[in-house]
Amino acid sequence: MVLGADSAQSTGCTLTGRDAAMDGALTALYESGGRQPGGRGGSGRSAGLGASAPSVARWLGDIRTYFPSSVVQVMQRDAIDRLGLSALLLEPEMLEAVEADVHLVGTLLSLNKVMPETTKETARAVVRKVVEKLESRLTTRTRAALTGALDRSAKVSRPRHHDIDWNRTIRANLKNYLTLPGEDGAGTIVPERLIGYGRAAQSVKKDVILCIDQSGSMAASVVYASVFGAVLASMRALRTRLVVFDTAVVDLTDQLDDPVDVLFGTQLGGGTDINRALAYCQSRITRPADTVVVLISDLYEGGIRNEMLKRVAAMKASGVQFVTLLALSDEGAPAYDRDHATALSALGAPAFACTPDLFPEVMAAAIEKRPLPVPDREAQG
């Protein structure tokens, strides 16, 4: 099947019914010549969206009828980017018609300061729908990975029976294998040395500081980091702090029980001062050897570069586990400052993009102080 303005001439076939409707929805966006879908093109075919929320809402309803959710989300992003529909997202009827996803949440957050009161409750409902979907996808895996890492990081020399790590105990005592008489070669291992780990659930074992760049290019990362922050904060064995920054620094730790409140506490856009943000985080560290700092940024520093690198070096020298993520999203690494990434790598803090599904493993490795699972496909400094 070929859709497009010249399809009838090139194929000799005229589209009808559902095919024609699909073609019209695509034409409205991709052949509108910069006009908003819903008007009429020069050939008389539908092209462009009319400059009103109801006409855009009708178009959104059409594409949800004709295309799968993943395609709808791409078309929505293209409509916002190509046709400047951000202003229409301030209309409640528009928001009720959209297919909610992480990118739409990022757009809504960027509009938060100009959003009328009549729209804010609808916008919060859209954001909450996305956040709840992400939490259901990510919570179980994150808690499982980090609970295991916390347990293993609290090793004890004389474990109780239910705290014995049997796999490691067996490997450590293979030299003590004894063959039993009259059992046709059967034998047993004498566990002279027991290896185990203490249970971490009853007390705070690690401090985690999420330091998030809230410049406009980091929108998806802010959304995911806020959800992960809420998940980490729900774990008794972790003390979690969430800090967002541009040229100013805002501590949103008190709002971690509701990631929607965290998201609406951010202000996407503006400049970047990583050095100032890290100075604040450094001032909140009380147990360096038991602290993990996660910087999520594209590393375009507007502050003092050398001071920023010195802070990272000082934190690592004190025992802090420092993780640098260029992005926390499904899209891979955005544009980023390669010189800063290289400098951080030289300090032992490789910078790489991380998908939400990999993040629990990255955090588990940081907690256990083992090498980070840096994806081979990502560019690194």
Side-chain angles (χ1 to χ4, degrees):
M1 180 186 296
V2 178
L3 300 178
D6 299 324
S7 60
Q9 294 90 333
S10 60
T11 64
C13 299
T14 300
L15 298 175
T16 60
R18 184 182 179 88
D19 292 340
M22 293 174 66
D23 183 36
L26 291 167
T27 298
L29 174 57
Y30 297 110
E31 296 181 23
S32 62
R35 294 183 298 277
Q36 292 188 346
R40 304 293 295 179
S43 63
R45 302 172 75 241
S46 174
L49 289 175
S52 70
S55 99
V56 177
R58 284 194 297 273
W59 178 77
L60 288 168
D62 287 344
I63 64 174
R64 293 173 72 175
T65 299
Y66 301 129
F67 303 100
S69 177
S70 58
V71 175
V72 169
Q73 292 172 7
V74 172
M75 293 178 73
Q76 285 180 171
R77 294 202 296 271
D78 286 348
I80 292 169
D81 294 339
R82 291 163 58 94
L83 305 175
L85 298 184
S86 295
L88 291 180
L89 290 176
L90 303 179
E91 301 286 346
E93 59 265 41
M94 173 74 164
L95 286 178
E96 291 171 355
V98 293
E99 183 81 20
D101 68 346
V102 169
H103 298 280
L104 179 66
V105 169
T107 302
L108 291 177
L109 296 179
S110 69
L111 298 171
N112 183 33
K113 300 305 179 184
V114 298
M115 191 175 291
E117 290 299 323
T118 55
T119 305
K120 284 189 175 180
E121 284 307 310
T122 306
R124 288 183 70 89
V126 170
V127 172
R128 188 168 297 282
K129 182 189 302 183
V130 174
V131 166
E132 288 176 350
K133 187 181 297 184
L134 292 177
E135 284 185 308
S136 65
R137 166 189 161 193
L138 301 171
T139 297
T140 301
R141 180 175 179 179
T142 301
R143 291 181 65 87
L146 298 194
T147 298
L150 288 163
D151 286 346
R152 289 187 293 273
S153 71
K155 298 181 180 69
V156 294
S157 59
R158 294 184 178 181
R160 292 172 294 181
H161 182 271
H162 62 274
D163 286 336
I164 296 173
D165 184 335
W166 287 108
N167 288 333
R168 296 180 68 232
T169 295
I170 290 172
R171 286 196 298 270
N173 289 279
L174 287 175
K175 62 182 179 181
N176 300 322
Y177 182 84
L178 296 178
T179 301
L180 298 177
E183 295 288 342
D184 297 325
T188 186
I189 292 175
V190 179
E192 292 181 354
R193 177 187 170 207
L194 297 177
I195 300 176
Y197 44 83
R199 297 295 169 181
Q202 301 304 315
S203 61
V204 173
K205 298 298 182 183
K206 295 288 182 178
D207 295 337
V208 175
I209 302 177
L210 300 179
C211 186
I212 310 168
D213 183 345
Q214 60 177 352
S215 57
S217 61
M218 303 299 293
S221 298
V222 171
V223 176
Y224 280 115
S226 298
V227 172
F228 277 119
V231 174
L232 299 181
S234 70
M235 301 180 65
R236 294 181 180 178
L238 294 176
R239 181 185 293 113
T240 303
R241 182 177 296 275
L242 189 142
V243 176
V244 298
F245 68 93
D246 41 37
T247 53
V249 180
V250 180
D251 193 325
L252 297 176
T253 302
D254 290 344
Q255 300 176 37
L256 271 176
D257 59 331
D258 188 345
V260 176
D261 286 342
V262 169
L263 289 171
F264 277 94
T266 64
Q267 183 174 335
L268 293 176
T272 307
D273 193 337
I274 303 173
N275 178 54
R276 175 177 291 185
L278 291 182
Y280 177 82
C281 295
Q282 190 176 25
S283 72
R284 295 300 183 269
I285 295 174
T286 57
R287 305 187 305 160
D290 294 314
T291 299
V292 178
V293 174
V294 182
L295 172 65
I296 304 174
S297 173
D298 55 15
L299 300 180
Y300 285 112
E301 170 66 317
I304 305 173
R305 177 185 189 272
N306 290 338
E307 288 296 318
M308 182 262 287
L309 295 175
K310 286 180 181 177
R311 290 191 191 282
V312 174
M315 282 188 273
K316 287 189 62 64
S318 68
V320 171
Q321 295 298 107
F322 195 93
V323 180
T324 310
L325 301 182
L326 300 170
L328 178 56
S329 69
D330 289 308
E331 279 67 46
Y336 64 95
D337 190 306
R338 293 179 180 274
D339 289 341
H340 287 160
T342 300
L344 287 170
S345 180
L347 295 175
F352 58 97
C354 177
T355 65
D357 289 334
L358 180 63
F359 184 74
E361 187 178 346
V362 169
M363 288 301 300
I367 285 171
E368 295 183 62
K369 300 184 178 182
R370 54 182 170 83
L372 301 178
V374 179
D376 291 337
R377 66 180 181 277
E378 299 295 351
Q380 300 171 49

